[in-house]
Amino acid sequence: MTTINKHDFIESIADALQFISYYHPEDYIRSLTKAWEREESPAAKDAMTQILVNSRMCAEGHRPICQDTGGVVVFLKIGMDVSWETDQTVDEMVNTAVSKAYSHPDNVLRASMVADPLGARKNTGDNTPAVVHTELVAGDKVEIKLAAKGGGSENKARFTVLNPSSSLVDWVLDIVPTLGAGWCPPGMLGIGVGGTAEKAMILAKESLMEHIDIHELQARGPTNRKEELRLELFEKVNALGIGAQGLGGLTTVLDVKINDFPTHAASLPVALIPNCAATRHVEFTLDGSGPAVLTPPSMDVWPDITYEADNASIPVNIDTVTREEIANWKPGDRLLLSGNLLTGRDAAHKRIQELLDKGEPLPDGVDFENRFIYYVGPVDPVGDEVVGPAGPTTSTRMDKYTDMMLGKTGLVGMVGKAERGPAAREAIKKHGATYLMAVGGAAYLVAKAIKASRMVAFEDLGMEAIREFEVKDMPVTVAVDSHGESVHESGPKEWRIKIGKLPIAE
């Protein structure tokens, strides 16, 4: 009989959540480095460079890889011969650990969980509760797998029930292009097949905890149908040409994982969940001898590269830029922004719309005339930081507000991540505005371009409040130009054609 005490369990999970906030898994770093070395798309290679440099900076500085430090998901396998020394339930201990991890004074993590999801949606303040999956198994140990899953990739989860005779591959290839770039590729696809609806989703989520091994599988060859499907999907999804950050390129996924389970003869439940470039997961075992000890990756794992904007990048003063200058920008152009940049996300946009609908003025200090807005929810600063990691959030959530913001506030440009939908692109075209894309998964690197930050309005919204950032040489890409043309359409289309002519896709 093994006894697990409360302190060891809580400390192990809390330490692990801090650990994965700034250390990528070693297999991810190695796999992304290989993809970066072979990437031929300049835009995608630039994005992967930022992700790799950001990853190393976070490992060295112990700061979050991404400002969205995720919702916590825990898979527990508890041996039936385990006894507990605790006054809390297992779920209560997990949530105590989450609260402790996310409020660590040396590396504060962003709290993203909201209670009353159909009503007030009030932030719980400490990122609790976690989603806990518990299984009783034979033995006298506790196996723990945990992840911090970002909202951008989680929002792209999909589920269907196929006919047993239908093609899993065809469904995946139909679905992946519709996901856009909000899940921040290159990442992984987790696929769950079988069981029931809820079982398929759990299978898909747990598959994302596995190590990247697709290249080893390619080398040795498949031994069963599941491995055959992994290889086929890996090749065919990458042949879609979506590429890093959806800009078009050779690598969209670094691995495809499939977990399956027996199912009803009349059904084929299938779940798909992508993992983003901020892949955060770890596993360990408690045997009663003390808390888990996690070993950081060696710094030699990261490639010896730095990020510097190339000579093709266009310096832009966003305090003085004119619509005439904006009209000359083309999709794919790389810019370096300097000046004062307002911020705002979903909740702030909702309040702005409510005020304008009532004919009421915007709060003092909120003036969007000829300004740019950055869709961001930063991590709180620590030490001498002016702001914590501050990468972009998925911009499509702001599409419904775009025409209002451009038409009624005088806004001329937006900065976020991933593509914009048809309505937003039409509004951008109508108002002669622009949309710029920063790299998701490079939050700490982006934050280094922010030289000052001040609160402007809606302070009660926390990370969703309106702030003003003073930025210097912030790297972005023109994603939608003033004519409504999108690099997220032209880039993947171009690379899908190129890949179709390459030997790797034959």
Side-chain angles (χ1 to χ4, degrees):
M1 179 72 72
T2 295
T3 299
I4 306 294
N5 71 56
K6 171 181 174 179
H7 175 269
D8 289 349
F9 186 79
I10 291 173
E11 289 301 311
S12 296
I13 292 177
D15 289 349
L17 289 170
Q18 277 285 310
F19 184 92
I20 63 175
S21 77
Y22 44 74
Y23 288 130
H24 265 127
E26 184 173 323
D27 57 285
Y28 179 85
I29 303 163
R30 292 187 184 280
S31 184
L32 183 60
T33 300
K34 289 180 180 178
W36 171 80
E37 289 171 344
R38 62 185 290 270
E39 184 57 66
E40 297 178 17
S41 162
K45 187 147 190 163
D46 179 84
M48 285 194 276
T49 301
Q50 291 191 50
I51 293 168
L52 284 166
V53 170
N54 179 79
S55 176
R56 185 182 184 108
M57 289 171 59
C58 293
E60 293 172 335
H62 286 191
R63 293 295 275 141
I65 294 166
C66 179
Q67 80 288 339
D68 182 350
T69 48
V72 177
V73 182
V74 183
F75 287 87
L76 299 174
K77 290 188 177 181
I78 301 176
M80 289 188 290
D81 292 330
V82 167
S83 65
W84 294 90
E85 191 176 277
T86 179
D87 57 353
Q88 292 182 299
T89 67
V90 170
D91 281 22
E92 287 171 345
M93 287 190 289
V94 169
N95 286 322
T96 298
V98 172
S99 180
K100 181 173 184 177
Y102 276 70
S103 58
H104 194 292
D106 295 332
N107 184 40
V108 178
L109 305 180
R110 197 185 82 185
S112 300
M113 296 295 286
V114 296
D116 191 14
L118 296 175
R121 296 183 65 85
K122 181 176 175 58
N123 197 300
T124 62
D126 60 0
N127 216 51
T128 61
V131 176
V132 184
H133 303 282
T134 302
E135 180 182 356
L136 293 178
V137 298
D140 60 356
K141 297 179 176 60
V142 177
E143 297 178 17
I144 301 170
K145 296 180 182 179
L146 59 84
K149 190 71 160 57
S153 59
E154 190 69 2
N155 287 345
K156 303 300 183 178
R158 298 292 185 265
F159 173 79
T160 192
V161 179
L162 296 175
N163 289 324
S165 60
S166 297
S167 167
L168 169 67
V169 172
D170 287 349
W171 181 76
V172 172
L173 295 179
D174 285 343
I175 289 296
V176 170
T178 71
L179 302 182
W183 60 282
C184 280
M188 295 165 60
L189 291 184
I191 298 172
V193 180
T196 53
E198 79 282 5
K199 181 65 174 179
M201 295 301 291
I202 293 171
L203 289 167
K205 179 62 66 64
E206 191 169 15
S207 76
L208 294 173
M209 309 284 192
E210 298 172 11
H211 297 291
I212 295 173
D213 65 352
I214 196 72
H215 296 299
E216 289 87 342
L217 178 55
Q218 287 175 321
R220 67 169 170 80
T223 59
N224 54 49
R225 179 58 179 153
K226 187 165 63 173
E227 291 182 343
E228 290 174 355
L229 286 169
R230 285 183 60 200
L231 291 172
E232 183 178 358
L233 283 168
F234 178 73
E235 178 181 347
K236 290 182 175 180
V237 169
N238 282 324
L240 294 171
I242 294 167
Q245 303 293 300
L247 295 169
L250 298 178
T251 301
T252 302
V253 291
L254 300 175
D255 203 342
V256 177
K257 299 295 186 181
I258 302 176
N259 277 349
D260 61 4
F261 192 86
T263 192
H264 192 285
S267 299
L268 187 63
V270 179
L272 182 150
I273 305 177
N275 224 1
C276 66
T279 295
R280 291 168 295 213
H281 63 90
V282 71
E283 59 187 72
F284 53 89
T285 299
L286 298 180
D287 59 8
S289 62
V293 177
L294 302 175
T295 304
S298 166
M299 296 309 295
D300 294 335
V301 174
W302 281 270
D304 185 17
I305 57 174
T306 58
Y307 181 75
E308 294 182 6
D310 59 31
N311 293 331
S313 296
I314 305 169
V316 175
N317 184 333
I318 52 176
D319 293 333
T320 60
V321 69
T322 65
R323 289 183 184 269
E324 288 72 26
E325 291 176 79
I326 290 171
N328 290 322
W329 298 346
K330 303 299 181 188
D333 284 353
R334 292 195 284 277
L335 313 178
L336 295 173
L337 304 185
S338 297
N340 293 288
L341 184 64
L342 291 170
T343 76
R345 289 171 39 124
D346 317 41
H349 281 74
K350 184 173 183 289
R351 284 201 184 171
I352 290 169
Q353 184 172 54
E354 289 169 349
L355 289 171
L356 293 177
D357 288 347
K358 294 176 183 176
E360 297 178 5
L362 298 180
D364 290 342
V366 179
D367 182 2
F368 291 104
E369 188 70 33
N370 294 320
R371 301 288 299 273
F372 280 70
I373 191 170
Y374 183 27
Y375 302 145
V376 63
V379 175
D380 290 340
V382 298
D384 59 358
E385 293 177 343
V386 299
V387 67
T393 196
T394 306
S395 301
T396 48
R397 298 201 313 276
M398 269 56 72
D399 281 5
K400 63 193 253 184
Y401 302 108
T402 301
D403 190 57
M404 177 268 294
M405 291 294 293
L406 297 178
K408 295 185 178 181
T409 73
L411 191 73
V412 296
M414 300 149 285
V415 184
K417 78 169 184 183
E419 74 286 347
R420 305 306 298 268
R425 295 199 303 272
E426 185 59 34
I428 290 168
K429 178 180 178 180
K430 180 171 74 173
H431 297 286
T434 190
Y435 165 63
L436 313 175
M437 190 207 80
V439 171
Y444 197 33
L445 177 64
V446 171
K448 296 302 182 183
I450 302 170
K451 305 305 179 183
S453 172
R454 70 179 182 90
M455 183 65 65
V456 175
F458 307 150
E459 186 171 3
D460 63 297
L461 295 180
M463 59 111 173
E464 296 217 43
I466 296 179
R467 295 171 171 83
E468 184 176 63
F469 289 164
E470 178 187 337
V471 300
K472 175 66 175 175
D473 293 337
M474 177 179 172
V476 296
T477 298
V478 177
V480 181
D481 68 9
S482 61
H483 305 289
E485 298 298 319
S486 171
V487 72
H488 287 102
E489 291 192 344
S490 59
K493 181 179 179 181
E494 173 189 350
W495 280 90
R496 187 160 56 249
I497 294 170
K498 287 183 177 180
I499 291 170
K501 298 177 181 179
L502 294 175
I504 58 169
E506 291 179 358

